[in-house]
Amino acid sequence: MAKSGKRIRAAKEGLDREALFSIGEAVKTVKDKASAKFDETVEIAMNLGVDPRHADQMVRGVVSLPNGTGRTVRVAVFAKDDKAEEARAAGADIVGAEDLMEQVQNGQMDFDRVIATPDMMPIVGRLGKQLGPRGLMPNPKVGTVTPNVKKAVEDAKGGAVQFRVEKNGIIHAGVGKASFDADKIEENVRTFIDAVNKAKPSGAKGTYIRKIALTSTMGPGIKIDPQDAFGNA
């Protein structure tokens, strides 16, 4: 823990905490400050001017990052018969129906994404207490309740990132690894910001995207200049 604290302090040295950076500068700084012995995840956090307690201010969606996330995503699929075979062929890690429901009820959740065919939702709906708190409940709005399980699995494996605003108005997601080329991280960041901007809800008032910051797992937060990110959105 002490070594970790020293690394974080060292990463913050010489950094103006209030400075605003262009996306390109922020990416370069995050890469420069990533000094852990593992390949750190590059994460984005966006502070939105919404109150998600109101239905017309909820922000959620899914975006495919052009350069992937650099993370291996384990996908579970609730499906039967031909759709189950389709899911396996597409690369799903776990496929099942009632048997998969029992695994989840027993606390066996070795997966990062859950996809379901529409006919499986009566089963999946019984798993709200297990899947809901982890943000894993399938939802048609983000393409995880669908008859096209092949595309859903391929998207999940290929860099599709789900986002959902938290109760404090913040969205955060992984947008790559510190080992990625800077231009690939920047392209992912711009793609993610654009997706969140397009998901602006009807009830949002005033400034929608208030703050944006980029960081790595062990590094300091780097503030992004909103003007560089989305003009005057």
Side-chain angles (χ1 to χ4, degrees):
M1 193 71 183
K3 287 183 179 178
S4 173
K6 286 181 180 177
R7 277 202 300 271
I8 292 172
R9 284 196 298 274
K12 291 180 179 178
E13 284 179 9
L15 184 65
D16 182 351
R17 304 288 288 164
E18 299 306 314
L20 293 177
F21 294 77
S22 69
I23 293 176
E25 291 169 340
V27 168
K28 182 179 184 302
T29 304
V30 166
K31 280 177 63 67
D32 288 345
K33 299 290 185 181
S35 58
K37 293 180 180 179
F38 60 92
D39 192 6
E40 298 182 48
T41 297
V42 177
E43 300 174 354
I44 189 170
M46 301 177 66
N47 189 311
L48 307 181
V50 298
D51 182 350
R53 292 176 298 180
H54 301 288
D56 65 348
Q57 294 187 50
M58 171 53 68
V59 180
R60 72 184 307 165
V62 62
V63 56
S64 289
L65 300 182
N67 302 297
T69 62
R71 176 171 171 251
T72 300
V73 177
R74 286 183 58 80
V75 179
V77 179
F78 283 87
K80 285 184 174 180
D81 304 324
D82 291 348
K83 291 298 179 183
E85 290 305 314
E86 190 179 314
R88 291 189 185 96
D93 299 277
I94 306 167
V95 182
E98 286 85 356
D99 55 334
L100 181 52
M101 177 188 72
E102 290 176 6
Q103 286 182 38
V104 173
Q105 288 175 331
N106 291 330
Q108 299 174 37
M109 291 185 281
D110 183 24
F111 45 75
D112 310 294
R113 188 75 50 85
V114 180
I115 294 164
T117 53
D119 60 303
M120 288 286 99
M121 286 312 292
I123 290 175
V124 179
R126 292 155 67 180
L127 301 172
K129 288 183 179 179
Q130 290 84 10
L131 300 178
R134 296 179 178 228
L136 293 172
M137 182 61 77
N139 189 299
K141 291 182 179 179
V142 294
T144 48
V145 177
T146 174
N148 192 349
V149 292
K150 179 178 185 291
K151 182 178 186 302
V153 171
E154 290 174 347
D155 285 350
K157 290 284 189 178
V161 174
Q162 294 183 27
F163 58 86
R164 177 188 174 103
V165 67
E166 298 173 355
K167 60 183 178 182
N168 55 5
I170 292 176
I171 278 179
H172 58 81
V175 289
K177 293 287 186 177
S179 62
F180 281 20
D181 290 342
D183 59 341
K184 290 187 176 180
I185 299 175
E186 180 173 351
E187 189 178 10
N188 278 357
V189 169
R190 290 190 182 277
T191 300
F192 187 86
I193 292 173
D194 186 55
V196 173
N197 201 25
K198 288 178 178 176
K200 180 178 180 178
S202 60
K205 301 291 189 292
T207 302
Y208 172 49
I209 299 177
R210 292 178 173 175
K211 296 177 183 177
I212 307 173
L214 207 63
T215 186
S216 63
T217 306
M218 304 295 291
I222 309 298
K223 295 181 179 179
I224 291 175
D225 184 352
Q227 293 301 314
D228 182 59
F230 48 82
N232 56 8

